[in-house]
Amino acid sequence: DIFSYTEWEDHLAMGTGLSTCCMLARGALIKPWLPTEIKERRHWDISATERLEMLKKFVDFGLEHWGSDQQGVNTTRRFLLEWLSFLYRYVPVGVLEVVPQRMNDRPPRYVCRNELETMMASDDSRDWVKISEMLLGPVPDDFKFLPKHKSNSYASSGDQRGGGEVQG
């Protein structure tokens, strides 16, 4: 799995002629702007607002595909929430001590730059539901979300879990 343009270049440089490509896979789920980073050969400190715009486009495409009736909204919300269960693992470049972030490194505690970034960095699925409500309106009273997978490759151990805190 590739998670930065420098990893991309390292993997291509190590090639023995058998393969001239690399798989983005989980890296692209966590950082959908990864192809842009690779193309432009830079670490992109993408803002929470820019990431929210990507989510808005995703929601627009979902509603276009599944429809804007209640079933289409519910299906779009479900896919959005599953994607958010990957996206929260991104640590903004501007707050990293060591660049680039490595996919399987436990994210350090960090102070987010605004409330939206704090919500996006949260590993609490209730915060992901709040983000979905910003884009799709309120969820039904009986709505519950439990991710289908565990995208967090490191087990939580009490208060040692990474994630963001809002800057006060």
Side-chain angles (χ1 to χ4, degrees):
D1 281 341
I2 302 297
F3 203 50
S4 70
Y5 87 89
T6 53
E7 286 182 5
W8 170 269
E9 291 179 347
D10 291 345
H11 283 287
L12 288 180
M14 289 186 323
T16 60
L18 296 175
S19 177
T20 57
C21 66
C22 301
M23 183 182 296
L24 302 184
R26 290 179 296 162
L29 285 171
I30 297 167
K31 290 172 49 175
W33 53 91
L34 183 56
T36 302
E37 285 188 359
I38 291 169
K39 179 181 177 187
E40 296 176 4
R41 303 185 73 227
R42 69 181 176 113
H43 299 289
W44 185 1
D45 188 14
I46 187 168
S47 71
T49 305
E50 290 171 304
R51 289 186 280 155
L52 185 64
E53 287 302 315
M54 283 185 182
L55 295 176
K56 285 179 184 177
K57 286 182 184 178
F58 179 87
V59 165
D60 288 344
F61 294 140
L63 294 175
E64 181 182 323
H65 181 74
W66 288 297
S68 57
D69 61 347
Q70 193 59 51
Q71 184 175 353
V73 170
N74 292 346
T75 303
T76 301
R77 186 183 314 274
R78 175 79 43 206
F79 277 89
L80 174 64
L81 290 169
E82 290 293 346
W83 188 28
L84 286 169
S85 75
F86 281 96
L87 289 175
Y88 88 91
R89 291 187 60 197
Y90 169 69
V91 179
V93 172
V95 300
L96 284 174
E97 291 180 18
V98 176
V99 176
Q101 175 185 1
R102 300 281 182 204
M103 187 176 306
N104 292 324
D105 287 351
R106 180 183 299 273
R109 280 271 180 216
Y110 62 94
V111 176
C112 294
R113 299 173 283 197
N114 59 46
E115 287 290 332
L116 181 58
E117 192 168 82
T118 300
M119 198 178 315
M120 289 180 163
S122 173
D123 60 1
D124 186 343
S125 63
R126 291 173 294 192
D127 287 326
W128 308 337
V129 171
K130 289 177 191 172
I131 293 170
S132 80
E133 289 180 321
M134 292 168 56
L135 302 168
L136 290 164
V139 297
D141 291 335
D142 61 344
F143 182 83
K144 295 199 183 341
F145 173 70
L146 183 64
K148 290 182 180 179
H149 65 283
K150 190 164 182 85
S151 65
N152 193 344
S153 62
Y154 28 79
S156 68
S157 52
D159 291 336
Q160 296 177 6
R161 188 167 205 161
E165 298 172 2
V166 70
Q167 188 171 6

